[in-house]
Structure formats: C-alpha cells, structure tokens
C-alpha cells in the first residue's frame, strides 16, 4: 500500500501541471483581461457589480489616464476600449499586472511561485491571495462539512430502509420525495426558504447574512454555538435537500445488489436473523462504495455546490470569491484557488482509495498499476 501511495503522490505533479497548463491557455483566449478591466474602470465604463478596484499603483498615473489631455496623440491599441490612450500608460498597466512578459515566461514564473505556495497579490483587492483563501475557508468548510455529514446521515439509513422494503408503499412514497428533491435545484429551494423564513414575505425567523452575528465575540460559548447554527440552518437545509437524492439511491442499489448474492442466502440458511445478516454481513460490503466516496463528495460540495448558496445567503466564502475573481479577471485568485482546489481534490481522491482498504482489507492496490 505504501508503494501505491508514493506512486499516486508522484502522479499528482504531472496532473497538476496539466491542469494548470490547460486552464492557463484557455484564459489567454478569454476576452476582457485585467488590463482591459483596468482601462474600463479608469474610463468609467466598468460593468462589474461584485468588486471594485482598490489600489495597485500611483494615483498620478490614473489621474493622467483619466485626463482628456492624455488621450491626445494616442494610437490604436490591442486592448478593447484603449483606442486613443497614451501607449506609455498602457505599457505601465501591462507592467503592473506582469503582462510585459511573454505568456510562457509568466506561466513558469507562476508555477515557480506556486511550488512555494506563493500565490501573489490580488489585482483588485490589495491583499495576498493566500490570506483571502484563509479568510474565506471557514465559511466554505462549514457549509461543505455539515452538508456532507447530514446528507450521509439522512441518505444511508433511508437507502438501507428502501432496500429492505423494496417495492413496498414506503419505497414508492420515498422515491417520489427523492425525485422531487433531485428535480429542484438547491439554489431554488434556498430562495424558497428565504421567502418563507428569512423575512422575504412571511416570517423572519432566520438571519440572511453572514456566518455569525455582529456581537458574536461578546457572546458566551453556548450562545456562540447557538448563533452559529442559527445562521447556517437555512443554507445547510437547502444544500442537503438538493444533495441527498443521489446518495440515497446509490445506497439502496448497493444494498439490493448485496442482498441478492449467494452468501446472504447461505447466512440465512444457517439460521441467522435478518438484522444479523444485514448488519453483520451485507453492511460492510454494501457500504464500501458509499463510505469510500466521502472525500470526493465533500470536495464536490465544498468547491462546486455552495457558490449560489453563498450568494443567496450573503456568505463570503470560497465560492463567491472564485465567482468574483472570474468576473473581474483577477488571475492571481483564479489560478491560486484552482491550484489549491486541484491539489486538495487529488489528495482527497488518494484518501478515498486508502479508505477502501480500511473498510475492506481484501482490496489490494499493490497489485494495480497507477
């Protein structure tokens, strides 16, 4: 197993490199880069509604760009909206963002910094990218961890019950509820919860902003715990409702597959009761794929399932940070978060394989080739 883990860890390097190369190349062809964003903000034509530029150069340069006299004698430019601007000023903006270097040089310089976990500074936030990620991480981890745990706590017992009662009235009615939960997107259910319970139209029982109250620091520890769960109740509910259907059906089908195998009939023929067979023999085999998939399920909820929920409930997490960075072409945040998310996803994938061997020691990855 140790040799397999080492091979997988070594494989992370070329995998990360490939991911970064593909995304870097794609971004080069995307219109509206940071230089164009800066030009639009200087000329007052920026359309971004999520974040604003808050520094990053000497004020005199930007005043000169906004001055009509700076437009005199300007020439055409390769950047949209820059026609007529002083080419020297455009060159200063390119140098500020590092675009005075060729693309391949910028890419390898970026990778060299990432090896040291130096993700640089945000173009439009005046803060280090790693600091922004650390600040936003608690919100996203809270949403991802609690959602994944609750989805498993709901889906596993429900899936087992549906497998045992396959074809019964209970199975039919719960399948209807699962279909409804699967059909309604989590963000749409979140809007419904806001309308019903967060002052949208009916009652105002739950807060609509932040992970904690403004006076959280002054509260006692029991009050802090209550305040924290009070704030995440609606977001977590919306994400659980939108995420339990797939795992429930996976659990049911996994148990049905095991229940129909010969060793179950043999165990029952020896006089073992249904519960002894179900939890003593079937459970470990059927739960292999379900439990081992926990790391990948968590990473999926953490980095892909929470963005719209964060926007709706005004939760300043990684999803919202990545969305704003993409809209504003804040490349350091985009590539920094991409690198971190990819690395974490690959490591959790390896953890999932290790969990397979923990749950079922009969699985031997040493016999496999990576």
């Amino acid at each position: 197993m140790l040799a397999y883990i080492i091979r997988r860890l070594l494989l992370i390097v070329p995998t990360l490199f490939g991911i970064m190369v593909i995304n870097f190349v794609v971004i080069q062809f995307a219109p509206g880069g940071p230089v164009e964003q800066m030009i639009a903000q200087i000329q007052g034509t920026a359309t971004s509604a999520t974040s604003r530029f808050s520094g990053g150069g000497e004020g005199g340069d930007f005043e000169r760009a906004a001055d009509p006299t700076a437009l005199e004698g300007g020439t055409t430019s390769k950047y949209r909206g820059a026609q007529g601007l002083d080419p020297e000023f455009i060159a200063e903006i390119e140098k500020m963002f590092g675009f005075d270097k060729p693309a391949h040089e910028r890419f390898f310089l970026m990778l060299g910094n990432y090896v040291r976990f130096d993700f640089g500074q945000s173009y439009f936030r005046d803060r280090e990218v790693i600091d922004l990620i650390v600040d936003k991480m608690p919100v996203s981890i809270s949403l991802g961890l609690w959602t994944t745990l609750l989805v498993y706590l709901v889906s596993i017992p429900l899936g087992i019950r549906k497998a045992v009662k396959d074809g019964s009235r209970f199975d039919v009615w719960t399948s209807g509820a699962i279909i409804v939960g699967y059909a309604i997107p989590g963000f749409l259910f979140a809007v419904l919860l806001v309308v019903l319970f967060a002052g949208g139209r009916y009652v105002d029982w739950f807060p609509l902003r932040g992970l904690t109250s403004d006076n959280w620091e002054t509260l006692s520890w029991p009050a802090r715990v209550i305040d924290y769960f009070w704030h995440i109740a609606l977001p977590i509910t919306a994400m659980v409702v939108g995420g339990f259907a797939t795992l429930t059906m996976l659990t049911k089908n996994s148990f049905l597959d095991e229940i129909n195998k010969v060793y179950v009939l043999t165990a029952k023929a020896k006089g073992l009761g249904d519960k002894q067979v179900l939890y003593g023999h079937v459970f470990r085999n059927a739960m292999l794929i379900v439990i081992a998939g926990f790391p990948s399920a968590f990473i999926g909820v953490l980095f892909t399932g929470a963005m719209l929920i964060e926007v709706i409930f005004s939760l300043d997490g990684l999803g919202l940070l990545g969305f704003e960075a993409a809209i504003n072409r804040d490349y350091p945040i985009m590539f920094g978060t991409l690198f971190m998310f990819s690395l974490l996803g690959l490591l959790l994938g390896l953890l999932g394989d290790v969990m397979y061997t923990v749950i079922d020691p009969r699985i031997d990855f040493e016999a496999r080739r990576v």
Side-chain angles (χ1 to χ4, degrees), residues 185-195 198 207-210 235 238 306-315 320:
F187 74 89
L188 189 60
F189 192 75
V191 173
L192 176 63
L193 292 178
V194 170
V195 172
L208 192 56
R209 182 177 297 276
M307 186 187 75
L308 290 177
I309 301 298
E310 290 180 9
V311 174
I312 293 171
F313 291 99
S314 300
L315 299 172
L320 186 59

Side-chain angles (χ1 to χ4, degrees), residues 273-284:
D274 290 340
K275 289 186 177 181
Q276 289 178 303
V277 174
L278 181 64
Y279 294 105
H281 296 271
V282 175
F283 187 84
R284 187 180 69 175

Side-chain angles (χ1 to χ4, degrees), residues 18-245:
I19 291 172
M20 299 303 294
V21 167
I22 293 173
N23 284 273
F24 186 85
V25 172
V26 170
I27 288 297
Q28 303 311 304
F29 294 98
V35 176
E36 292 178 343
Q37 292 282 338
M38 175 63 70
I39 292 171
Q41 292 188 23
I42 291 172
Q43 295 185 336
T45 60
T47 58
S48 173
T50 55
S51 62
R52 296 178 180 272
F53 177 71
S54 58
E58 297 181 0
D61 292 334
F62 303 110
E63 292 173 3
R64 179 163 60 87
D67 188 352
T69 61
L71 303 178
E72 296 178 0
T75 59
T76 58
S77 173
K78 62 181 178 180
Y79 297 108
R80 183 178 57 184
Q83 287 74 13
L85 289 178
D86 186 353
E88 293 183 0
F89 179 70
I90 299 298
E92 291 178 7
I93 296 179
E94 288 181 328
K95 185 176 181 180
M96 182 178 67
F97 290 126
F99 280 79
D100 57 328
K101 301 181 180 66
H104 68 277
E105 185 176 339
R106 287 187 279 116
F107 176 74
F108 286 106
L109 180 62
M110 178 184 71
L111 287 186
N113 292 330
Y114 283 9
V115 170
R116 305 190 304 271
F117 287 90
D118 177 11
F119 303 118
Q121 189 174 31
S122 168
Y123 286 159
F124 304 106
R125 288 175 178 260
D126 258 356
R127 293 189 62 191
E128 295 291 329
V129 173
I130 190 65
D131 294 336
L132 287 170
I133 294 176
V134 171
D135 286 348
K136 312 301 182 184
M137 188 70 77
V139 175
S140 295
I141 287 180
S142 295
L143 293 177
L145 185 60
W146 286 113
T147 299
T148 307
L149 288 176
L150 289 176
V151 164
Y152 269 72
L153 288 176
V154 171
S155 299
I156 292 176
L158 180 59
I160 295 174
R161 186 68 175 174
K162 285 176 64 62
V164 174
K165 298 291 185 179
D166 183 44
S168 66
R169 183 175 298 179
F170 172 83
D171 183 42
V172 173
W173 282 104
T174 53
S175 294
I178 289 173
I179 292 174
V180 172
Y182 185 77
I184 299 177
F187 74 89
L188 189 60
F189 192 75
V191 173
L192 176 63
L193 292 178
V194 170
V195 172
L196 294 178
F197 302 112
R201 193 164 189 177
Y202 295 95
V203 297
D204 190 8
W205 291 347
F206 294 92
L208 192 56
R209 182 177 297 276
L211 201 61
T212 56
S213 300
D214 294 336
N215 64 336
W216 190 79
E217 295 291 342
T218 63
L219 299 175
S220 62
W221 278 109
R224 289 184 181 185
V225 173
I226 294 174
D227 180 78
Y228 168 74
F229 284 107
W230 182 46
H231 278 77
I232 68 172
L234 293 187
I236 295 301
T237 301
M239 295 178 69
V240 169
V241 169
F244 81 100

